[in-house]
Amino acid sequence: MSVTVRALLREDLRDFGGYKSARSEALAGEIWLNANESAWTNPRDVGGQLRRYPSPQPEALRARLAQVYAVAPAQLLIGRGSDEAIDLLVRAFCVPGQGRIVIAPPVFGMYAVYARLHGAEVIEVPLRDGAEGLCADLPGLGDAAVEKGATLVFLCTPGNPSGELLALPAVAALAQRLRGRAIVVVDEAYIEYADAPSATTLLEEHDNLAVLRTLSKAHALAGARVGCVIASAPMIDALRRCQAPYPVPQPVADAAQAALEPQALALTRSRMDAVREARARLQDGLRGLAGVRRVYPSAGNFLLVRFADAGAAFAALLAAGVVVRDMRAMPQLGDALRISVGTAAECRRVLAALGASLADGAP
C-alpha cells in the first residue's frame, strides 16, 4: 500500500474486499451457469452480447486506454465517464459526515454534488479574475487543504467554465506539498483541446495524484459514458473495491475501443486542430461585438463570455435556435454565458444571432 493510500484511505475500508461478481474470477468453460443469467437471448439483442454480464473491467479496452495514455493498465480504472471516478474518490477518501474536499469555483459542479451527497464539507477557494483570466489559486488551495484537513483537492484543467490551463510544475508543487495529507485530483476532460501534456507525466513522482480522463468530449462518445481515473496501482486497487461490479456494458466497451484505433485517433487529432482554429475565430468574432464585455481565453472547446445583458444574449440565441449554457447562477458569473465551439457554420450562426441582437439592443 502506498504512502498516500495508507494515510488517507478510510480506515473502515482498508480491509474491505468489495463485491466479488461472477465475472471477477478468470474461469474458462463452454457452459456458463455461475451468474444466474437468462438461458435465452433477448429478441432485440441482435449481437447476442447483452445476455451475459460484462467484465468488471474490460481488459482489452483497459489495455488500449493505458497505451493511449502512456500508463500501465494497473494504473487505470474504467468507469461511467469521469463522473463515477469523482464519486469513487469521495467514497474512498472521505469519511461520511466528516470528510472535506477543496474546490475552486466557479467550476464543474459534480465535485461538490458528490461531496454533499456523501456528507463531506466543501471548502471553496474561488478563482481569481484578473488580466490572464479566471485563474485557480493553487497555493491558496493548498493552504485550505492543510488548514481544514481536507483529503481531496479538485483541479480542472482546462477549467470548466474558466478555460484555464494549469501549469504542470505548479500542479506538481501542490502535490508535493500535500503528500500524505491530501490527494490532488486533476480533471482533464478537455485536455485534448489544449494540445498540452497530461498530468499523468507526474504520476511516477507523486503517488497522491489522480488524473481523470473521458471519451465524452474529444472522442465524441458522450452518450457512451466511458471515462477513467489514472493513479498509482494501490490507489486504483482501493477505488476498484468501491466500484459497482459492471460499470461498462460490452457493446459500449467495443465502441470505445473502436474509437481508440489508430485511424480513429488520427481523425480525432485533426478535429482537435479544427476546434482550436474555430475557437480562435469565434473568440475574435465575439470580441468584435457591441455588448460583449469580455471573452476569456480558453484551452477547452468552449468560451466563457461576459455580456452587458446576458439575459438578452441568451434569449437572442434561443430565438435563433442556438442553445448555450447560462452561467448566471454560478458564483462570479452573473453576466456570463458559456458557448461551446461547434462547426464553422454553427459558430457563424452564433455570431450572426448575437450581432443582430446586440446591434439592435433587443433579443
Side-chain angles (χ1 to χ4, degrees), residues 10-361:
R10 284 168 45 187
E11 187 174 354
D12 58 316
L13 295 182
R14 289 175 186 172
D15 296 323
F16 176 62
Y19 177 71
K20 299 297 182 184
S21 72
R23 293 290 180 265
S24 297
E25 300 180 19
L27 302 173
E30 296 177 0
I31 300 174
W32 290 78
L33 302 177
N34 66 333
N36 298 338
E37 298 154 325
S38 171
W40 296 274
T41 300
N42 187 286
R44 297 291 184 181
D45 182 11
V46 178
Q49 290 186 317
L50 301 180
R51 178 167 71 96
R52 299 292 187 191
Y53 287 109
S55 167
Q57 285 291 292
E59 292 306 321
L61 177 58
R62 194 183 193 198
R64 182 58 181 147
L65 283 166
Q67 185 179 32
V68 169
Y69 296 144
V71 298
Q75 292 179 279
L76 187 148
L77 184 71
I78 302 170
R80 293 180 285 270
S82 51
D83 290 356
E84 184 179 20
I86 299 166
D87 186 23
L88 293 175
L89 285 159
V90 173
R91 277 197 245 167
F93 293 102
C94 285
V95 176
Q98 300 176 35
R100 297 178 179 87
I101 74 165
V102 181
I103 63 172
V107 73
F108 182 48
M110 291 308 293
Y111 312 141
V113 167
Y114 282 126
R116 286 174 176 141
L117 287 173
H118 197 66
E121 181 182 353
V122 179
I123 300 162
E124 298 184 349
V125 180
L127 298 179
R128 293 176 172 177
D129 196 353
E132 296 182 0
L134 278 168
C135 298
D137 175 11
L138 268 60
L141 290 165
D143 291 342
V146 171
E147 291 169 9
K148 300 292 186 178
T151 51
L152 293 168
V153 177
F154 285 93
L155 307 178
C156 192
T157 178
N160 174 19
S162 70
E164 179 195 19
L165 182 68
L166 297 175
L168 288 187
V171 174
L174 179 62
Q176 181 62 37
R177 179 184 179 190
L178 296 180
R179 189 166 189 257
R181 292 175 175 266
I183 295 167
V184 177
V185 184
V186 185
D187 187 344
E188 293 185 339
Y190 299 94
I191 194 67
E192 291 91 347
Y193 298 102
D195 192 24
S198 168
T200 54
T201 58
L202 306 175
L203 289 173
E204 187 173 346
E205 296 182 2
H206 302 282
D207 76 340
N208 63 327
L209 270 178
V211 181
L212 309 183
R213 299 296 293 263
T214 181
L215 301 186
S216 294
K217 308 298 182 181
H219 299 278
L221 289 178
R225 309 306 303 130
V226 179
C228 63
V229 53
I230 305 169
S232 69
M235 192 186 301
I236 293 301
D237 179 65
L239 294 175
R240 187 169 181 174
R241 286 182 273 131
C242 297
Q243 188 179 36
Y246 307 113
V248 181
Q250 190 58 47
V252 169
D254 292 343
Q257 192 157 350
L260 298 171
E261 292 301 319
Q263 187 173 1
L265 287 179
L267 177 59
T268 296
R269 285 190 291 270
S270 70
R271 286 176 171 172
M272 297 304 96
D273 292 337
V275 169
R276 287 188 283 271
E277 292 174 6
R279 182 178 67 202
R281 288 195 299 271
L282 181 60
Q283 191 172 49
D284 289 343
L286 288 166
R287 284 174 174 162
L289 295 177
V292 172
R293 286 177 170 165
R294 186 171 186 184
V295 183
Y296 286 90
S298 176
N301 68 330
F302 53 85
L303 293 171
L304 182 65
V305 187
R306 293 191 186 276
F307 293 87
D309 188 340
F314 186 74
L317 288 167
L318 274 182
V322 179
V323 182
V324 300
R325 190 66 179 263
D326 189 348
M327 307 303 295
R328 289 176 292 170
M330 293 195 75
Q332 302 188 57
L333 300 181
D335 60 351
L337 305 177
R338 191 192 68 196
I339 304 173
S340 300
V341 178
T343 65
E346 289 169 341
C347 290
R348 287 194 295 270
R349 190 162 168 178
V350 167
L351 293 173
L354 288 175
S357 170
L358 298 177
D360 295 341

